[in-house]
């Protein structure tokens, strides 16, 4: 991939090790995210079972294409505190009503928390000479974590698309 983002080279936080709660399925994407977070000086607390929202979760990546991620975000909706910074991640659904439902859920959480929704194209395999799309996705998500954690002064909802093609 020629348009692979250059990851930030400094740790996300200089003073203290940041722990990111990752709601997912312990699959390839979760492993790539954990590796990229570790490279940037973060710890990962991985949750791959249907627990709902954890009150201790402060900085979170929710994979909305997993039961654990979707239930966690549903559990956060309507909660006022404590404040959370959430990066919600999902492959762009083919079904428009599914996409709208997930976006509305993220917007509801954004009323009381700082939420970014990252849609992405399907994660495929890359030729051997290129970085894998999954690595490109992990870098993009962790860059978003870095940006959001640095600006925790409000509640908001943003969305963007990462093309892995």
């Amino acid at each position: 991939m020629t348009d692979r983002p250059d990851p930030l080279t400094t740790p996300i936080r200089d003073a203290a090790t940041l722990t990111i709660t990752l709601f997912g399925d312990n699959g390839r994407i979760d492993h790539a995210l954990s590796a990229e977070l570790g490279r940037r000086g973060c710890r990962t607390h991985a949750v791959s079972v249907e627990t709902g929202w954890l009150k201790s979760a402060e900085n979170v990546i929710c994979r909305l294409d997993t039961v654990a991620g979707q239930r966690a975000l549903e559990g956060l909706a309507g909660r006022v505190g404590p404040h959370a910074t959430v990066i919600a991640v999902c492959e762009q659904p083919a079904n428009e009503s599914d996409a709208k439902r997930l976006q509305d859920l993220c917007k509801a959480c954004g009323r009381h928390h700082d939420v970014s929704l990252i849609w992405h194209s399907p994660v495929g395999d890359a030729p051997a000479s290129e970085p894998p799309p999954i690595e490109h996705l992990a870098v993009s998500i962790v860059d978003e974590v870095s940006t959001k954690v640095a600006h925790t002064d409000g509640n908001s909802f943003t969305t963007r698309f990462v093309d892995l093609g």
Side-chain angles (χ1 to χ4, degrees):
M1 247 174 232
T2 57
D3 66 339
R4 179 177 185 258
D6 291 325
L8 302 175
T9 57
T10 57
I12 292 176
R13 278 204 182 145
D14 294 323
T17 301
L18 182 65
T19 298
I20 305 293
T21 303
L22 171 59
F23 291 96
D25 63 0
N26 199 28
R28 290 179 5 169
I29 294 174
D30 292 355
H31 290 273
L33 286 167
S34 293
E36 183 63 23
L37 287 164
R39 195 181 70 68
R40 304 225 203 152
C42 297
R43 290 187 194 138
T44 305
H45 175 224
V47 179
S48 59
V49 295
E50 187 178 340
T51 61
W53 186 256
L54 299 176
K55 291 180 185 178
S56 62
E58 184 178 337
N59 298 294
V60 175
I61 297 173
C62 274
R63 295 215 17 248
L64 298 180
D65 58 344
T66 68
V67 173
Q70 199 165 124
R71 295 300 176 266
L73 202 62
E74 289 169 355
L76 179 63
R79 280 186 195 240
V80 175
H83 186 271
T85 301
V86 179
I87 310 303
V89 180
C90 189
E91 182 176 317
Q92 179 78 46
N95 182 308
E96 197 171 307
S97 65
D98 288 343
K100 182 171 177 9
R101 181 182 56 77
L102 292 173
Q103 185 161 328
D104 288 347
L105 177 61
C106 291
K107 283 181 182 178
C109 291
R111 286 195 276 279
H112 302 289
H113 305 279
D114 194 10
V115 179
S116 292
L117 172 58
I118 298 178
W119 298 113
H120 63 85
S121 58
V123 177
D125 295 321
S129 62
E130 297 182 12
I134 202 162
E135 183 181 315
H136 175 84
L137 179 61
V139 167
S140 296
I141 293 167
V142 177
D143 282 350
E144 187 74 16
V145 169
S146 180
T147 301
K148 288 294 186 175
V149 168
H151 301 96
T152 58
D153 55 348
N155 307 327
S156 67
F157 169 73
T158 59
T159 186
R160 69 185 181 95
F161 182 80
V162 175
D163 187 1
L164 303 174

